[in-house]
Amino acid sequence: MIECINLSKQFDDLVVLKDIYLHIRPQEIVVLLGPSGSGKSTLLRCMNGLEEPTKGSVRVGSVKWDATGNLPSKKQALRDIRTFTGMVFQSFNLFPHMTVLENIIMPPMTVKKMPKAQAIQLAESLLAKVGLQDKMYEHPSRLSGGQQQRVAIARSLAMNPQIMLFDEPTSALDPELTGEVLAVMKQLALEGMTMIVVTHEMKFAREVSNRVIFMSDGVIQEEGTPEQFFDQPQTDRARKFLRQMDH
């Protein structure tokens, strides 16, 4: 589904990712863990074209995305990647002047030229899926953070992505609201959605992921099953990280 080959990313003098090799298989749930500044979010942003690799390449589905190539071909590649991947951010990025329904129907109508009636039907079923069909005509400001994040997930799903990328989707939420967002993500995992999740939710990583990738200093330090990583971490870095997360 996704393949990163020799992927590096640099901002001026700061090297954020160094020679990342990574393969994501269909229906895999991969959790990226690591201390702040380890490059997890940048890796995710390279996967959906928000950041351009400094060197190396990312292949998403059949589309290759790298630092070479001319602008028109890059723009087309980005469009293709973004219809293939859905992304959910830490901040919910909903349009405040639009209702929940309008937020969800806009992407499929504008990008996929879906007829309005069909988009509304789709939005209704997605809001039912995330448990918010009664909030369809509310504006985001009237919703809790957890509800806004569930709307953001529904909006991403409206584009029928093959892969969902989550960048710390619960870190802006109060602990009691985190569970409702994680429950929606668990449901997606059960339905076979391919997911890559940057998170600090260790319980989610342990229970839901098939594979844990631990990053630090822009490098993949180790990867394995949740059992391997949590019960027998291979590196001092990982052991220290897990000790800190326990406190």
Side-chain angles (χ1 to χ4, degrees):
M1 277 289 208
I2 294 186
E3 185 177 45
C4 300
I5 296 184
N6 194 26
L7 176 67
S8 299
K9 178 65 184 174
Q10 196 166 337
F11 297 102
D12 299 323
D13 295 339
L14 181 67
V15 179
V16 186
L17 296 173
K18 299 174 202 160
D19 298 331
I20 301 282
Y21 284 85
L22 178 60
H23 297 260
I24 308 286
R25 293 181 289 278
Q27 300 194 328
E28 213 176 3
I29 314 295
V30 176
V31 168
L32 299 178
L33 296 178
S36 294
S38 57
K40 309 179 299 290
S41 293
T42 304
L43 178 55
L44 216 56
R45 291 167 74 88
C46 285
M47 287 177 186
N48 94 326
L50 282 171
E51 297 291 355
E52 189 174 304
T54 308
K55 70 172 208 232
S57 67
V58 180
R59 186 183 55 73
V60 181
S62 59
V63 184
K64 194 169 171 201
W65 163 241
D66 61 23
T68 62
N70 60 13
L71 202 57
S73 67
K74 272 186 189 170
K75 283 190 167 163
Q76 186 55 51
L78 278 183
R79 274 197 293 273
D80 294 343
I81 284 173
R82 289 190 186 152
T83 49
F84 199 77
T85 59
M87 185 141 177
V88 176
F89 299 88
Q90 192 173 342
S91 52
F92 322 121
N93 293 358
L94 298 173
F95 294 109
H97 60 288
M98 291 184 179
T99 63
V100 164
L101 178 66
E102 289 165 342
N103 264 286
I104 295 173
I105 65 175
M106 195 185 86
M109 283 172 62
T110 48
V111 181
K112 295 198 163 176
K113 307 290 182 266
M114 187 182 279
K116 188 170 184 181
Q118 192 185 337
I120 290 174
Q121 213 173 358
L122 174 64
E124 286 172 347
S125 70
L126 289 171
L127 284 170
K129 185 188 192 73
V130 300
L132 289 173
Q133 56 273 61
D134 58 333
K135 303 292 184 190
M136 200 180 310
Y137 301 110
E138 296 282 5
H139 282 78
S141 60
R142 301 284 302 273
L143 305 181
S144 71
Q147 290 170 333
Q148 289 187 55
Q149 192 60 294
R150 284 186 283 154
V151 172
I153 292 172
R155 182 179 60 180
S156 274
L157 292 172
M159 294 297 286
N160 194 27
Q162 305 299 300
I163 300 168
M164 286 289 284
L165 308 174
F166 292 89
D167 191 4
E168 303 209 19
T170 58
S171 62
L173 301 177
D174 296 334
E176 66 270 23
L177 301 178
T178 294
E180 63 191 55
V181 173
L182 293 177
V184 170
M185 292 168 65
K186 282 179 189 170
Q187 185 56 40
L188 286 178
L190 288 172
E191 290 167 13
M193 176 63 79
T194 307
M195 289 163 55
I196 307 173
V197 185
V198 173
T199 186
H200 289 294
E201 296 293 331
M202 296 297 138
K203 192 163 176 276
F204 179 86
R206 198 186 258 275
E207 290 174 3
V208 183
S209 72
N210 316 111
R211 185 156 51 119
V212 171
I213 292 176
F214 176 70
M215 291 181 70
S216 127
D217 301 324
V219 177
I220 293 176
Q221 300 280 347
E222 61 180 282
E223 58 181 299
T225 65
E227 295 75 30
Q228 285 168 333
F229 179 74
F230 286 105
D231 300 335
Q232 297 171 314
Q234 301 300 301
T235 58
D236 289 342
R237 252 328 143 59
R239 285 191 282 273
K240 182 180 169 204
F241 173 76
L242 287 169
R243 275 199 305 275
Q244 286 171 333
M245 295 312 284
D246 280 344
H247 295 319

